Amino acid sequence: QVQLVESGGGLVQAGGSLRLSCAVSGRTFSDCAMGWFRQAPGKEREFVAAITWKGGSTYYADSVKGRFTISRDNAKNTVYLRMNSLKPEDTAVYYCAAARDYSNSYYLISRSTRYDYWGQGTQVTVSS
């Protein structure tokens, strides 16, 4: 059973930085796409970033491009989301997700319905 456990969320002032981690266990497939999504109160879950495990291709939502960086550590089976220049509108619960089958297409890799496994989420709050 694949398990994803996020950590690293917290309260930060606008302009600050955080690094989220997603520890992956139970993964038996050699390749997948790992995504970060977020959901603010009263809003739908939205795509933030994704990375392919083998090739390391990365994808970003326009709202975070240039500020957030997704990366992975194969040895540690962990995916990271480095968030710089945080804004109050980045406040949300951030979820890590894994997709066994993926396409190197922004349109498809950004769809939450393409992901099979989800973490429990970690809260990020950015104060103004």
Side-chain angles (χ1 to χ4, degrees):
Q1 180 72 13
V2 176
Q3 287 192 320
L4 309 177
V5 179
E6 303 99 332
S7 60
L11 173 64
V12 64
Q13 286 190 329
S17 298
L18 281 175
R19 188 182 77 160
L20 305 183
S21 300
C22 173
V24 184
S25 62
R27 181 170 66 94
T28 58
F29 37 92
S30 59
D31 195 15
C32 65
M34 297 297 301
W36 285 97
F37 290 78
R38 66 187 182 186
Q39 188 165 19
K43 294 189 176 181
E44 291 187 357
R45 189 169 298 189
E46 65 173 0
F47 172 76
V48 175
I51 188 168
T52 60
W53 198 274
K54 265 191 176 178
S57 298
T58 57
Y59 304 82
Y60 296 94
D62 287 342
S63 58
V64 306
K65 204 172 291 183
R67 300 187 298 122
F68 291 12
T69 303
I70 189 171
S71 61
R72 85 258 190 259
D73 185 324
N74 290 346
K76 294 183 178 180
N77 262 336
T78 300
V79 177
Y80 303 98
L81 184 69
R82 177 67 180 182
M83 307 184 294
N84 294 329
S85 302
L86 282 161
K87 306 174 181 180
E89 51 263 44
D90 294 318
T91 295
V93 177
Y94 282 71
Y95 297 92
C96 175
R100 294 189 63 165
D101 298 312
Y102 67 91
S103 174
N104 280 303
S105 149
Y106 178 89
Y107 175 77
L108 293 175
I109 212 166
S110 64
R111 301 276 85 81
S112 61
T113 53
R114 305 289 294 191
Y115 290 79
D116 307 293
Y117 307 99
W118 291 83
Q120 82 289 351
T122 185
Q123 176 71 46
V124 171
T125 303
V126 184
S127 63
S128 56

